[in-house]
Amino acid sequence: MPDKHRYPIPTRKYPPRVEIPRQVARRDLRHNVGAMLSLAFLLTLILTAILAPLLATYDPRAVSPENRLQPPSQEHWAGTDLFGRDIFSRLLYGTRISLILGIVAVAISALPGTLLGLLAGYYGGWVDGLISRLMDVLLAFPGILLALSIVALLGTGLSNVTLAVGIAGIPSYTRLVRGSVLTTKRELYVRAARIIGCRDSRIMFRHILPNVLAPVIVLSTLNIAWAILNASALNFLGLGVELGTPEWGAMLNEGRGYLRDAPWASIAPGLMLTATVLAINLLGDGLRDALDPRLRA
Amino acid sequence: MVQYIGKRLLAAIPVLWGVATLVFLAIRLVPGDPAEVILAQSGGSSASLAQLRTQLGLDGPLYVQYVRFLSDALRGDLGRSIFTNRPVIQTISEQLPHTVQLALAAMVIAIVLGGVLGSIAALKSGSWIDTLCMILAVIGVSTPVFWSALLLILLFTTTLHWLPATGQGDLRHLIMPALVLGLASSGTIARLVRSSLLEVLNQEYIVVARSKGLSESRVVLRHALRNALIPTVTVIGLQFGFLLGGAVVTETVFSRQGMGRLIVDAILWKDFPLIQGIVLLSAALYTLVNLVVDVSYAFLDPRIRHE
């Protein structure tokens, strides 16, 4: 006769604590030092962008030939450029342009990209074939060449650069969402929704979309960094903002002309750009690890 | 294997056709007549409008233009540049080798640096060395190419007088541009090598290799790294696209000749046939590189071609 007490009897008094995934994600993110520091930096940056007119010590566009190429000092914390403009004030205003540009470009990518991914994944068949082939074609353009081609067609300028970088980001969303929808649409709750007679649009937007949003949020965070980098590259090349606009890429382009005499004019905007992109990337990595560990590289 | 290559080649054809169609439609569907835009910029007379339209292939019904465009492109005729009046294909073939040279040199730097950084991080996983390597990798990914280029010029040209800042010719002219592009790309490769090596190090054959009494260096170099590097091959195709894009900025900063600088100039001059040609050929080249990468991946990992 088998021994009744061969296996230990559970002695736990309370049932095991079930953690809600959202709580786990929040805890994971809070324990990620790099992501938290980045979040603090980015919040400060957003505040700086909002309060730029109050914080700026000079008018960012005010030309002052007698103060040209001044090194960093008490009057001009980051020095002055070739036209005697205060670089610190220009950096503050540049924060506005870069952040708005990054967020708007990502909105331009994420909204149509997610919608196309939803349609392709949900309907499959010819809809999927058509959308996927179109995305294959867009992905055949290497690097920032797609954004460059769009600027070539629409013309230069900040809004066209933002639109170009936004359009170039669409395929990454479509591919990601399509893949997630293909898995999610087989779930029991989606089948149940269909059986009780929900319309396709309701199933897509109320039942599937909320469940594929986590990777979209992660991608959007990382794409803000990507958009800021690419847009500033186009501005650096002289294809974006008008001459004299306090944008970091354009400031670097102006600064390289007198790199030997005034290196601060190139170092400061580059440092701001790198720190911002680095913070967004670290926060994006932290969000990815917390929300969707499958995406971890 | 031949069947696999054939399948991949067939899959690339519709993509290339799609790229050509998109380029064709984009120029014609965007508001504003390109011929008028060019004339307005150069201040030409309205009499030359019809002539310019013919040169741009914008005369006749749309389907006639499309058939002519595709047949010309297939024969390698991409039209003539508006400003130099030279065949586009000739201009591109002069510039392409410079960019390929830069991209290949950068790729070598990226693979070596990324491979070493990623391997060290994986072997010291969880330690401060791992954290340091990954922080360096994220910094590499986050630093704009045009800023690191200016910093290198400041260090190696302005301060140390070791390397020339502009121009091309010998190896000394290639070092800085290749380093700038390679550094930017190495971050991505380091992250991939780390995760790939960590996965391989948990495999049973590594346990077997260790239990046979092999030295740690032999286990890592002969057994783990060889397998861990296979997935890295796939990212090389994507990185090649990044390098082609990065060349646009790098060639401008270092005043080098190449496709990148050519397209920036073409955009500023509104030289539509040249832009069209560069975009078409870059996309074709990128598709071809990815095809070669896919095939070599299947060659290295037989599981792929049997899927």
Side-chain angles (χ1 to χ4, degrees):
Chain A
M1 194 177 150
D3 182 4
K4 264 170 78 179
H5 299 295
R6 226 170 76 189
Y7 302 105
I9 302 164
T11 52
R12 198 195 294 269
K13 257 181 149 177
Y14 307 103
R17 197 174 151 215
V18 178
E19 285 187 304
I20 302 165
R22 198 177 293 172
Q23 287 176 340
V24 178
R26 209 173 291 162
R27 191 196 56 209
D28 282 359
L29 190 64
R30 228 179 283 142
H31 287 174
N32 188 327
V33 181
M36 283 295 101
L37 283 175
S38 302
L39 185 64
F41 176 75
L42 289 171
L43 288 176
T44 315
L45 215 59
I46 291 170
L47 211 63
T48 309
I50 295 168
L51 300 175
L54 297 173
L55 297 172
T57 40
Y58 293 87
D59 178 352
R61 290 173 187 264
V63 176
S64 166
E66 65 278 9
N67 286 325
R68 64 193 290 270
L69 302 182
Q70 298 262 324
S73 63
Q74 285 219 315
E75 289 86 58
H76 300 284
W77 293 351
T80 61
D81 64 10
L82 188 67
F83 302 98
R85 294 173 300 201
D86 181 57
I87 292 176
F88 176 71
S89 304
R90 290 174 69 73
L91 288 177
L92 292 181
Y93 277 87
T95 313
R96 270 185 172 190
I97 297 178
S98 289
L99 290 184
I100 292 173
L101 189 153
I103 292 165
V104 173
V106 163
I108 293 170
S109 318
L111 296 176
T114 305
L115 184 69
L116 287 172
L118 261 179
L119 291 173
Y122 185 76
Y123 287 112
W126 69 268
V127 179
D128 182 24
L130 185 73
I131 294 173
S132 295
R133 291 301 82 75
L134 182 66
M135 293 305 130
D136 283 347
V137 169
L138 291 180
L139 285 168
F141 292 90
I144 60 167
L145 200 73
L146 184 58
L148 268 173
S149 313
I150 297 167
V151 169
L153 286 169
L154 300 179
T156 55
L158 185 62
S159 47
N160 285 347
V161 162
T162 313
L163 188 66
V165 172
I167 294 173
I170 290 176
S172 55
Y173 285 93
T174 305
R175 281 213 159 169
L176 179 75
V177 173
R178 178 187 171 273
S180 301
V181 172
L182 283 179
T183 330
T184 312
K185 77 173 182 184
R186 291 197 193 95
E187 296 286 343
L188 202 59
Y189 59 84
V190 176
R191 297 215 308 255
R194 198 172 294 140
I195 289 165
I196 61 167
C198 286
R199 275 176 293 125
D200 282 351
S201 57
R202 191 178 167 84
I203 296 173
M204 275 195 284
F205 293 104
R206 287 294 294 274
H207 298 279
I208 295 180
L209 186 63
N211 287 294
V212 299
L213 266 187
V216 171
I217 293 169
V218 175
L219 184 66
S220 298
T221 313
L222 294 170
N223 265 11
I224 291 179
W226 178 85
I228 292 177
L229 264 188
N230 276 328
S232 64
L234 293 176
N235 287 324
F236 177 83
L237 293 169
L239 302 173
V241 292
E242 283 171 35
L243 217 64
T245 309
E247 194 279 336
W248 296 336
M251 285 169 74
L252 269 166
N253 187 28
E254 286 174 21
R256 77 183 167 115
Y258 39 92
L259 188 65
R260 187 191 300 261
D261 302 318
W264 54 85
S266 303
I267 290 174
L271 206 58
M272 283 300 287
L273 190 55
T274 307
T276 306
V277 172
L278 182 65
I280 299 172
N281 275 335
L282 285 174
L283 180 65
D285 282 354
L287 275 174
R288 182 200 54 206
D289 292 351
L291 289 173
D292 194 355
R294 286 169 304 167
L295 284 174
R296 208 172 296 189
Chain B
M1 192 70 192
V2 176
Q3 201 184 359
Y4 179 81
I5 296 172
K7 239 164 69 179
R8 297 292 306 148
L9 259 175
L10 280 178
I13 293 171
V15 172
L16 289 175
W17 174 60
V19 168
T21 308
L22 194 68
V23 168
F24 170 83
L25 286 176
I27 284 192
R28 283 150 184 93
L29 294 183
V30 152
D33 183 351
E36 282 177 13
V37 172
I38 294 163
L39 270 191
Q41 200 181 37
S42 58
S45 67
S46 55
S48 48
L49 188 67
Q51 193 190 341
L52 191 59
R53 280 225 178 89
T54 312
Q55 193 184 340
L56 290 171
L58 297 172
D59 54 331
L62 199 65
Y63 70 92
V64 175
Q65 290 181 34
Y66 184 56
V67 172
R68 192 169 53 204
F69 171 77
L70 281 187
S71 66
D72 282 352
L74 277 175
R75 280 184 284 110
D77 179 5
L78 297 172
R80 281 176 175 274
S81 157
I82 305 262
F83 286 89
T84 59
N85 202 31
R86 292 175 62 219
V88 167
I89 195 80
Q90 194 185 337
T91 311
I92 293 176
S93 57
E94 281 167 12
Q95 301 297 328
L96 187 64
H98 300 298
T99 303
V100 171
Q101 183 196 40
L102 176 62
L104 286 178
M107 186 66 87
V108 171
I109 293 173
I111 292 172
V112 172
L113 205 66
V116 171
L117 211 62
S119 304
I120 293 173
L123 293 173
K124 301 281 177 193
S125 169
S127 70
W128 65 270
I129 300 174
D130 177 21
T131 313
L132 181 74
C133 288
M134 285 305 100
I135 288 176
L136 286 177
V138 185
I139 291 176
V141 172
S142 309
T143 309
V145 170
F146 45 90
W147 191 52
S148 48
L150 293 181
L151 289 183
L152 286 191
I153 291 175
L154 203 59
L155 178 68
F156 291 115
T157 310
T158 313
T159 312
L160 299 171
H161 304 285
W162 284 358
L163 295 168
T166 54
Q168 58 209 115
D170 58 2
L171 192 66
R172 289 173 67 240
H173 289 93
L174 188 64
I175 294 175
M176 275 203 290
L179 202 59
V180 162
L181 270 183
L183 282 175
S185 192
S186 63
T188 312
I189 293 181
R191 283 157 72 122
L192 188 79
V193 168
R194 178 185 178 271
S195 62
S196 176
L197 190 57
L198 276 178
E199 207 180 307
V200 168
L201 284 171
N202 285 325
Q203 298 289 321
E204 280 178 355
Y205 61 83
I206 297 296
V207 179
V208 172
R210 283 202 178 117
S211 58
K212 279 198 314 192
L214 294 182
S215 67
E216 191 60 22
S217 58
R218 201 173 163 83
V219 171
V220 172
L221 293 174
R222 285 292 295 272
H223 295 264
L225 207 56
R226 267 175 73 167
N227 286 302
L229 284 179
I230 295 176
T232 317
V233 173
T234 49
V235 93
I236 289 175
L238 294 173
Q239 285 303 303
F240 188 77
F242 168 80
L243 294 178
L244 276 184
V248 175
V249 175
T250 317
E251 285 168 1
T252 308
V253 177
F254 291 102
S255 301
R256 283 177 66 85
Q257 287 184 314
M259 294 274 279
R261 206 167 155 211
L262 190 67
I263 193 168
V264 175
D265 289 342
I267 290 173
L268 291 172
W269 298 333
K270 294 204 183 302
D271 194 338
F272 286 103
L274 194 54
I275 298 171
Q276 191 173 277
I278 298 170
V279 171
L280 254 180
L281 272 184
S282 303
L285 189 70
Y286 186 43
T287 308
L288 193 76
V289 168
N290 272 310
L291 184 77
V292 172
V293 164
D294 276 359
V295 170
S296 54
Y297 189 41
F299 181 74
L300 291 169
D301 190 345
R303 285 171 300 183
I304 303 292
R305 61 177 183 265
H306 291 308
E307 257 176 22

